[in-house]
Amino acid sequence: MSLSDFTLLNPGPTLRTTVQVDTAGAGMSISDKPRDVGRFTRMFEALSRRALPAEATPEFLQQLT
């Protein structure tokens, strides 16, 4: 997997969900293709499942200092 930042934009029921991908050295791309949106939606869901619960985050951050 390449290093990139992405943003899922869901403007509501009347417009299509869009993904914006920023890649180091390669610029930015925007797509509303279902395959691209689906790929990044799955990636976001996987990251969300691995994230600490909100109430555990302050303690974790304190341990880093």
Side-chain angles (χ1 to χ4, degrees), residues 8-54:
L8 287 166
L9 306 165
N10 187 344
T14 58
L15 298 172
R16 295 173 73 164
T17 299
T18 303
V19 63
Q20 174 184 322
V21 181
D22 300 309
T23 306
M28 177 192 71
S29 66
I30 297 174
S31 175
D32 64 356
K33 294 178 183 174
R35 181 179 177 154
D36 295 335
V37 171
R39 175 177 164 224
F40 284 95
T41 297
R42 289 188 300 278
M43 192 180 307
F44 178 79
E45 290 169 352
L47 289 168
S48 295
R49 285 191 299 273
R50 294 179 183 169
L52 287 174

